[in-house]
Amino acid sequence: MNRINLASQTCVSPELFHAKVMGEQDLPGVLVSALEGPAGVCEEHVGDLQKHFRLITMQEFMGNKTQLGPKIHAVYIWGGKPAIDRELLQGLPALKIVANSGAGLDHLDLKLLASFGVKVANTPWAVSSPTADMGMALLLAAARRVVEGHQLAISPDTEKFSTNWLGQEVTGATLGIVGMGRIGYKVAQRARAFDMKILYHNRKCRKLEEEEAVGATYCERLDDLLQRSDFVMLAVSLTPQTHGLIGRRELRLMKPTAILVNIGRGLLVDQDALLEALQTGVIKAAALDVTHPEPLPRDHPLLKLKNIILTPHIGSATHQARLQMMENMVESIRASLDGLPIPNEVLLK
């Protein structure tokens, strides 16, 4: 009786309604954080995701682990959520893959996932260009004091503009890129258009033809890059080796006119050391798309400085990039469930 009433409300026959409901139940279950809100998946993507999967929220799962756990074959991580730990994995006996939005994997325990036989895929190609764009936007904004200039221009106290209110030149300056992976290389391509001299520090050299294409010079020692650069951009992944990569010693190696840009992860930088460096003139300025934590506490002293630009981790936050991320994740999940090679599978090193 209830089924017939529901079918009549949706203007379809009871038979078609029953088929639709059964079809939804037959779709592979995918665990998501939520379907709406700041911790949920992108609401624009829900309809497309539901064409392929039965989306099960963390709230639903926690309320009925016994029944729903065996039906979940994949976890869809959007914005770092849901968090995955051993207890969650033990409740997902049919789990085959974790699909992660973005390139960074520091929030995932890859060895733990591998011990449960779970594959991991991410979306590095989708985020490379927009994050590189963001890096250059921050560099330019910090160099030319765009945010300060905006505030000056709109301030009710402004009566005239000083001709001696100056920024830093970008064209012809030296940019040091720490981390010459996909994102770092795209930053170099963009910087080349500004006739910047490009230095880079990486685990290994790029191919000679790749260096020549962007005019990049390899610095085996990070110290050399820091001492020679007018701008230092962090585009490296967070690992135990890169945690706290830029501290007091490293900041003091930089030029007093230098600007630090971070589009990697907040924990790459010792924030207390950065605060001190910005307050005392050890470096000129900083522009950060990432901090630790995110957001910073509202009383954090970094928020009170004029020589810093902070953005809310929006390196990949474009409609186009987020759509590609979703499509890549769907492709990886479907390949895993069909027993096919997984695009962008992350292999444990």
Side-chain angles (χ1 to χ4, degrees), residues 3 31 45 88 125 137 165 176 183 207 211 225 261 269 349:
R3 177 165 54 83
L31 183 66
H45 301 166
L88 178 63
W125 297 106
W165 193 89
I183 294 171
K207 294 178 181 178
E211 290 183 339
L225 178 145
V261 181
V269 178
K349 296 179 181 179

Side-chain angles (χ1 to χ4, degrees), residues 72-94:
I72 294 172
H73 301 282
V75 178
Y76 184 96
I77 297 185
W78 193 257
K81 304 292 183 180
I84 298 179
D85 56 19
R86 181 176 297 275
E87 183 180 355
L88 178 63
L89 291 171
Q90 289 171 339
L92 303 176

Side-chain angles (χ1 to χ4, degrees), residues 5-6 25 40 56 58 74 86 108 136-137 155 158 169 174 176 205 213 221 239 263 320:
N5 287 339
L6 286 170
Q25 294 297 320
I56 299 170
M58 277 297 294
R86 181 176 297 275
L108 293 177
M136 289 304 297
S155 172
T158 299
E169 190 83 10
T174 298
C205 291
R221 297 175 66 248
T239 66
I263 54 173
Q320 297 88 340

